[in-house]
C-alpha cells in the first residue's frame, strides 16, 4: 500500500470539515461508486461523486467526525451534523485503492426525519444544477 | 478488558444470523442505550433493547454480516438483509463494557425505502406487543 493511513485521514477530515471542495478531487478514483443513504443504486464515476460530495458538504451544518475505524483500505467514519435544523448521525464507509484514492463510498444516515430532509435538500440543489435522480 | 474480542464476535454473529434470541440477553448490559435507525431518541434499559433486537432479527430476512471493524470495545459491523422484500444495508455500532456486555447499540440503515419499510414493520410488531413509540 503506497499511502499512509493516518496522513490520509488527517487530509480527508480537513477537506470535509473545512468544506474545501478544491481538494476533494484528489481523493476520488475515476471509477468510484457512490452509494447514497437515500437510494439503493450507486452513482458511478468521479464527476458524479464530486458533484454529490461537494454539494453534501455544503448541506451539512456543524459537520464533525467522531469515532473512526481505519482498517487498511477499508474505513468507517462516524459523523454528526445538522440538516435543515435536524440532528443527524451518519457513517461514511470508504474503500481505497492502493494509491489512496476512494473507489467505493457509501453513506448511511439516521434518524428517518433527518434522512428525509437530507434527501429533499440534495434533490433540490442537484436539480438546480440540472441533475436528477 | 476481560473478554476476547474474536470469541465475542463469533458468539454475537451466531446469535443474530441464527435468530436465536435465547442467548441475546447475555450480551446486553442493564443500562444499555439503544439508538434505532428511525428515531433520534434512544430507548434505555435491557428489557427495551431485548424486545427491539429480538423483534428486528425476526423482521430481517437473509441477514448476513459483511465487513467488520472491531477496535477493542468499539465495534462497527456492516450487514445486508431484506425487509418486506426490499434490499437494505446497515451498520451496527456497538460499545461494550469491560465484561463484554453492550452498553450502547446504534443502528443505521439505507436506503430510504428500506428504512421506511423497517420502521413500519417494527411499529406494527411492537404495537402487537403493546409497545408504542
Amino acid at each position: 500500500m503506497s499511502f499512509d493511513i493516518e496522513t490520509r485521514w488527517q487530509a480527508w477530515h480537513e477537506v470535509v470539515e473545512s468544506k474545501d471542495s478544491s481538494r476533494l478531487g484528489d481523493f476520488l478514483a475515476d471509477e468510484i461508486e457512490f452509494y447514497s443513504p437515500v437510494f439503493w443504486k450507486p452513482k458511478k464515476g468521479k464527476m458524479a461523486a464530486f458533484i454529490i460530495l461537494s454539494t453534501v458538504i455544503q448541506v451539512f451544518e456543524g459537520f464533525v467526525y467522531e469515532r473512526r475505524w481505519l482498517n487498511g483500505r477499508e474505513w468507517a467514519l462516524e459523523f454528526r451534523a445538522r440538516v435543515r435544523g435536524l440532528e443527524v448521525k451518519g457513517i461514511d464507509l470508504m474503500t481505497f485503492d492502493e494509491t489512496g484514492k476512494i473507489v467505493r463510498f457509501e453513506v448511511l444516515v439516521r434518524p428517518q426525519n433527518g434522512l428525509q430532509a437530507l434527501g429533499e435538500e440534495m434533490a433540490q440543489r442537484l436539480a438546480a444544477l440540472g441533475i436528477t435522480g
Side-chain angles (χ1 to χ4, degrees), chain A residues 75-123:
Chain A
W75 295 11
L77 308 177
E78 178 187 45
F79 63 83
R80 183 179 287 273
R82 290 185 307 282
V83 183
R84 293 184 173 178
L86 295 170
E87 299 268 2
V88 296
K89 285 279 304 278
I91 291 280
D92 289 339
L93 299 180
M94 301 151 78
T95 303
F96 290 82
D97 68 14
E98 62 186 9
T99 71
K101 307 268 192 194
I102 305 164
V103 290
R104 193 179 193 287
F105 198 129
E106 184 168 8
V107 186
L108 297 92
V109 168
R110 65 170 285 274
Q112 195 170 347
N113 65 354
L115 174 60
Q116 190 178 333
L118 175 64
E120 289 171 6
E121 185 67 31
M122 287 297 292

Side-chain angles (χ1 to χ4, degrees), chain A residues 6-8 10 17 19 29 49 53 59 61 63 67-68 78 83 87 90 93 96 111 113 122 124:
Chain A
E6 201 55 35
T7 308
R8 204 65 176 150
Q10 288 297 336
E17 294 185 2
K19 299 175 182 268
L53 286 166
V59 165
E61 306 145 41
F63 184 103
R67 289 173 291 178
R68 58 185 187 273
E78 178 187 45
V83 183
E87 299 268 2
L93 299 180
F96 290 82
N113 65 354
M122 287 297 292
Q124 201 171 89

Side-chain angles (χ1 to χ4, degrees), chain A residues 34-48:
Chain A
F34 181 84
Y35 294 78
S36 108
V38 178
F39 301 109
W40 179 254
K41 238 182 100 179
K43 296 285 186 189
K44 295 185 183 182
K46 182 171 181 170
M47 184 62 72

Side-chain angles (χ1 to χ4, degrees), chain A residues 50-61:
Chain A
F50 181 86
I51 292 168
I52 294 167
L53 286 166
S54 59
T55 304
V56 83
I57 65 180
Q58 299 303 326
V59 165
F60 282 134
E61 306 145 41

